[in-house]
Amino acid sequence: MQIGDLIPWGRDREKTPSKDTTVESNPLVKLQRDINDVFENFWNRVENGWNGRLSPVGMFGPSTDVAETDANVTIEVELPGMSEEDIDISLSGDAMTIRGEKKLENEETRKGVYMSERSYGAFYRTIPLPPGIDTDRAEAEFKRGVLTVTLPKSDEAQARIKRIPVKAA
């Protein structure tokens, strides 16, 4: 006998007690099963539903790619439906913060039917930066719903890069 055999329910649905009337009529078993479902549904939404797109507080987190080369750090952020006026970028110390607010409004009238939809969402994303970024030469471009921020590395930071050759053993 294992300790898991003593627990009549759990995350593993195969071990969930059968729905016989004696077990289902026990209010404590039903309460425990309901509580387990609430937590399981919550974590499923966190892991699958929000997935960087929608958060529980009405914010959305756009997809972000960060790439570093010897010469610069490039950050690409997908912001469909937004314009450059909706985006704010700030650099402070060793981090860059991108903020924005998305406002979508759609109104339609046809054959006596009036439809109005509005959705709003704000986001911010703070990205840690490596030392040696030359903030004075930073550039941002917004094209076709994709924000591209290029942060060049300083000459000193590029000079400190040392390549180590790999030899066969």
Side-chain angles (χ1 to χ4, degrees):
M1 178 179 243
Q2 297 178 351
I3 190 106
D5 297 334
L6 299 174
I7 302 170
W9 55 81
R11 290 189 67 98
D12 191 359
R13 290 290 181 192
E14 296 166 5
K15 295 181 181 177
T16 302
S18 65
K19 294 194 177 216
D20 87 30
T21 54
T22 57
V23 173
E24 285 299 315
S25 63
N26 184 336
L28 291 177
V29 171
K30 183 171 178 359
L31 176 63
Q32 182 65 51
R33 188 173 287 150
D34 290 346
I35 291 171
N36 287 348
D37 287 343
V38 166
F39 281 102
E40 199 165 305
N41 289 339
F42 173 78
W43 288 115
N44 284 338
R45 286 181 72 186
V46 168
E47 293 169 3
N48 302 323
W50 297 332
N51 196 18
R53 299 281 188 266
L54 199 60
S55 76
V57 291
M59 298 176 71
F60 74 96
S63 296
T64 304
D65 294 326
V66 179
E68 182 177 3
T69 65
D70 292 346
N72 58 43
V73 174
T74 304
I75 300 163
E76 291 184 346
V77 185
E78 294 179 13
L79 301 170
M82 295 184 73
S83 66
E84 52 273 2
E85 293 87 26
D86 300 330
I87 303 166
D88 177 57
I89 304 169
S90 60
L91 291 166
S92 62
D94 58 351
M96 180 181 75
T97 301
I98 301 172
R99 297 176 190 274
E101 187 172 358
K102 187 176 190 175
K103 300 174 189 172
L104 296 175
E105 295 184 15
N106 183 24
E107 292 186 25
E108 187 177 327
T109 305
R110 61 187 157 122
K111 295 185 181 180
V113 175
Y114 175 74
M115 182 180 73
S116 176
E117 295 179 327
R118 292 180 183 94
S119 63
Y120 299 93
F123 77 92
Y124 73 92
R125 173 139 311 156
T126 300
I127 301 164
L129 300 174
I133 296 294
D134 186 354
T135 58
D136 294 330
R137 297 187 314 162
E139 294 180 357
E141 177 183 70
F142 189 70
K143 184 178 180 181
R144 296 185 184 168
V146 177
L147 173 68
T148 303
V149 180
T150 305
L151 303 164
K153 292 183 179 178
S154 65
D155 294 334
E156 300 85 40
Q158 291 182 39
R160 283 185 266 155
I161 296 172
K162 180 180 177 181
R163 298 276 180 229
I164 300 172
V166 178
K167 300 176 186 173

